Amino acid sequence: MSGPGLFVSGATHQTAPLAMREKLSPGPDPAELHGRLTAIPGVRELALLSTCNRLEIYAVADDPAALRALEDAFCAHRQLDPEDFGRVRMTRRDRDAIRHLFGVAAGLESQMVGENEILGQVKDAYAAAQALRSTGPVLNRLFQKTFQAAKLARSQTAITEGHVSVANVAVDLASNIFGALGGVRVLVLGAGDIAEKTTKAFLSRGAAPAMTVASRTIERASDLASRIEGDSLPLAEVESRLKDFDVVVGSTSAPGTLISAAAVRQAMHQRPSRPLFFIDLAMPRDIDPEVARLENVFLYNLDDLAAIAEKNLAARTAEVARCRELLQLRVEALWSQLEHHLGPGAAGRENTGSPAPGGQFAG
């Protein structure tokens, strides 16, 4: 359908496998990508939401043709075949785009339904777009109302109850393998938000004081290590020190793998009787997937953790329905406010784009 509109285009864990999501990462310079996309003729406003499980482009554009040009520019920047992207792409517009973002921020579209980290990531995406001066009246209103709707959904339903964060699920897995965590030596790669949440989850289960943080910037590693009364380690020394740890958590933003199968094989020769447990929370992945083939080595990635967490979803199914109903009222209210910003013909427009398997749009 032609005409100006509010669009979202991208791919998520519901449409794209882990290997494909790695390729959709904005790359080492998100600002450069952002600049290329905002230069597309017909694109009025833009924001990028990139997490471990999704890459979504929110745009106010003159018509679907401008959106397609934007998608082509993204593929060119990431060296992706547009046909490959098209097979995993989801697109939504207008009130369906609002509904989608509300659900994302409330944790309804997450691999671990109800998880809390996504709201902070949506806020960071909006702040980054504001800093690059690519938002306007539509996206500003959209994101501000999104934060209010997500807060309301989380406060008025039980959608966040239970262990629904990757950090908590990761610690549960470590406990299943090692039992009590008091003597388990934990190495966390990265010093960002996910790393901090993971260290706190391990601390809450008695893993202190045998915890070490490694980062590309030793100052950041030392800062987080000091807050958990642990040790720090230069990232360059990680592979040579693997034999000293029982659990290794990957959570960096490095562009490629940091731990090779060869390094793990060498470490296991030096500790053959004790298992080595890897939890890869990074996107792209920090740990070579071939590691999982080694004897007495366990490797879980984001999709593995999500499958485990899904077992807890049944208890929250009714809350998901309540949450969607609560958000829908606010979707309609916001859409009625945004229509006049998008020009004639905006009212009543429906979703457009590529349907997910089964005829439904995936989030």
Side-chain angles (χ1 to χ4, degrees):
M1 186 174 293
S2 61
L6 167 65
F7 297 90
V8 57
S9 176
T12 77
H13 63 94
Q14 293 178 334
T15 65
L18 185 59
M20 183 61 175
R21 299 202 304 274
E22 287 181 306
K23 298 177 182 178
L24 295 173
S25 170
D29 190 356
E32 179 188 358
L33 171 61
H34 202 281
R36 290 192 184 191
L37 299 184
T38 53
I40 301 297
V43 175
R44 304 181 189 178
E45 304 179 34
L46 184 88
L48 292 175
L49 173 60
S50 177
T51 74
C52 294
N53 291 317
R54 67 186 64 248
L55 183 285
E56 296 178 347
I57 304 169
Y58 289 84
V60 177
D62 286 345
D63 51 40
L67 180 68
R68 295 295 172 256
L70 190 154
E71 292 172 344
D72 289 343
F74 170 77
C75 289
H77 182 271
R78 298 305 300 142
Q79 298 181 329
L80 289 173
D81 184 334
E83 291 187 3
D84 290 340
F85 178 64
R87 281 189 282 270
V88 300
R89 182 191 67 206
M90 70 89 191
T91 57
R92 299 185 179 186
R93 73 175 292 173
D94 300 334
R95 58 165 55 85
D96 287 330
I98 298 171
R99 184 182 300 111
H100 177 73
L101 184 57
F102 278 17
V104 168
L108 299 182
E109 306 297 338
S110 297
Q111 276 189 312
M112 299 185 185
V113 174
E115 55 99 357
N116 289 309
E117 287 87 350
I118 185 62
L119 180 56
Q121 293 168 326
V122 174
K123 289 181 177 180
D124 289 343
Y126 176 51
Q130 280 190 306
L132 293 168
R133 301 182 181 276
S134 65
T135 63
V138 174
L139 289 188
N140 286 336
R141 190 72 171 170
L142 170 64
F143 278 92
Q144 289 160 10
K145 288 298 183 179
T146 292
F147 304 146
Q148 294 175 15
K151 182 178 179 181
L152 185 70
R154 292 167 185 270
S155 65
Q156 294 195 9
T157 72
I159 192 64
T160 61
E161 286 187 1
H163 282 191
V164 293
S165 73
V166 291
N168 282 321
V169 175
V171 174
D172 285 344
L173 282 171
S175 297
N176 290 340
I177 293 175
F178 295 101
L181 298 178
V184 174
R185 297 163 295 181
V186 180
L187 171 64
V188 177
L189 309 180
D193 184 60
I194 293 177
E196 183 167 1
K197 285 183 169 64
T198 303
T199 58
K200 289 180 178 178
F202 272 102
L203 286 173
S204 71
R205 302 287 283 275
M211 295 188 68
T212 301
V213 179
S215 176
R216 285 176 291 181
T217 306
I218 190 62
E219 290 79 12
R220 294 194 66 195
S222 299
D223 178 60
L224 178 55
S226 66
R227 282 183 272 139
I228 62 171
E229 298 183 353
D231 297 320
S232 60
L233 182 69
L235 207 55
E237 297 181 14
V238 164
E239 288 195 320
S240 64
R241 292 280 307 278
L242 286 176
K243 65 182 185 299
D244 299 327
F245 299 99
D246 304 306
V247 178
V248 179
V249 181
S251 66
T252 78
S253 57
T257 57
L258 300 175
I259 296 179
S260 67
V264 177
R265 187 178 295 108
Q266 178 62 31
M268 295 308 292
H269 284 319
Q270 299 171 295
R271 45 172 297 146
S273 61
R274 190 164 175 83
L276 186 51
F277 180 38
F278 292 94
I279 308 167
D280 200 343
L281 308 180
M283 181 64 65
R285 285 172 281 187
D286 282 342
I287 300 154
D288 184 347
E290 292 298 313
V291 161
R293 298 178 180 273
L294 301 178
E295 186 176 355
N296 216 20
V297 175
F298 302 86
L299 171 63
Y300 287 82
N301 60 36
L302 287 163
D303 286 354
D304 297 327
L305 267 62
I308 294 168
E310 193 172 348
K311 296 177 182 178
N312 297 327
L313 179 59
R316 299 197 306 280
T317 300
E319 295 306 311
V320 171
R322 285 187 60 215
C323 202
R324 291 195 186 281
E325 183 178 353
L326 189 68
L327 292 176
Q328 181 58 29
L329 298 175
R330 281 144 188 86
V331 168
E332 296 300 333
L334 177 57
W335 176 238
S336 67
Q337 297 171 20
L338 294 181
E339 285 177 324
H340 72 279
H341 287 292
L342 298 172
R349 286 197 302 241
E350 295 301 326
N351 186 53
T352 182
S354 304
Q360 300 297 316
F361 278 83

